[in-house]
Amino acid sequence: MKTRFLLIAIFLVGMGVASYAQKENCHRYEAFKAKKVAVITENLDLSVEEAQKFWPVYNEKEEKQEKIINRKKEIMEKLKDGEEGMATAELEKLSDELIETYIKEADLKKEYHEKFKKVLPVEKVLELYHTEHTFKRDLLRELRGHRGPGPHKGPPNSHGE
């Protein structure tokens, strides 16, 4: 009886910890998205009319891109978890699926490039790409900073990089 109670208590505590971690990750993700929106809004200097046309298109692209990225992660996890025990045919299937996600990602960028040009001047479209690139780079640097020194913090290598 005590063992059963203990198992139930451990299960409930585990569920609480998992729920907290999930909420914390959700909160961080929402904060990341809000910061990204603020940076894009500031850098693109959108008029009210431009913003009304741009944000629905951008959000639609982000949603589709997230699905592609999630599929890519799933494939990579499958490969990481079971690559040694997988048959060649299964490895080939997963590698083909992985390449398909890269193609879908490129097609999505091309599709939304055309859509962005319909709602923004080309100068602002290019500023969007620059802003997204800079935002990702700065975010990666920030994340690396929390984990300790990474390759970017050391002295230049022998090639002058």
Side-chain angles (χ1 to χ4, degrees):
M1 182 75 162
K2 287 183 182 180
T3 305
R4 191 179 308 173
F5 175 76
L6 185 60
L7 288 174
I8 292 171
I10 290 171
F11 175 76
L12 291 175
V13 168
M15 292 294 291
V17 169
S19 176
Y20 173 78
Q22 189 174 23
K23 287 178 186 174
E24 185 66 24
N25 283 340
C26 184
H27 174 71
R28 286 183 184 161
Y29 183 68
E30 291 302 319
F32 156 78
K33 284 177 23 178
K35 185 176 180 180
K36 185 177 179 182
V37 166
V39 168
I40 290 171
T41 299
E42 181 180 328
N43 287 357
L44 266 59
D45 192 28
L46 299 173
S47 70
V48 173
E49 187 178 304
E50 287 172 333
Q52 288 174 341
K53 292 177 183 177
F54 169 75
W55 285 111
V57 175
Y58 187 82
N59 291 335
E60 180 181 271
K61 187 227 20 145
E62 287 289 291
E63 195 175 298
K64 290 178 180 181
Q65 187 172 338
E66 192 171 320
K67 288 179 184 176
I68 294 169
I69 290 168
N70 287 338
R71 180 62 189 140
K72 196 185 315 179
K73 286 179 186 176
E74 288 172 12
I75 294 167
M76 296 302 279
E77 282 297 315
K78 282 182 184 178
L79 287 169
K80 182 179 124 189
D81 293 342
E83 186 175 354
E84 288 184 24
M86 285 186 186
T88 303
E90 180 67 13
L91 288 172
E92 184 175 355
K93 179 183 174 209
L94 286 172
S95 69
D96 290 348
E97 284 183 52
L98 184 60
I99 293 303
E100 273 304 311
T101 63
Y102 287 108
I103 292 169
K104 285 180 183 179
E105 211 167 23
D107 289 343
L108 185 72
K109 286 180 182 184
K110 183 177 179 180
E111 174 188 348
Y112 279 86
H113 175 69
E114 294 304 319
K115 289 183 179 189
F116 291 146
K117 289 191 312 184
K118 290 178 182 175
V119 297
L120 294 176
V122 71
E123 295 83 4
K124 288 189 179 186
V125 173
L126 291 170
E127 182 60 37
L128 169 65
Y129 300 152
H130 176 73
T131 299
E132 286 181 317
H133 173 78
T134 303
F135 182 80
K136 286 178 196 174
R137 183 195 65 210
D138 292 348
L139 181 65
L140 286 172
R141 284 182 179 163
E142 183 180 320
L143 291 172
R144 285 183 190 128
H146 290 296
R147 293 186 186 140
H152 67 286
K153 291 190 176 187
N157 64 25
S158 61
H159 301 295
E161 294 175 13

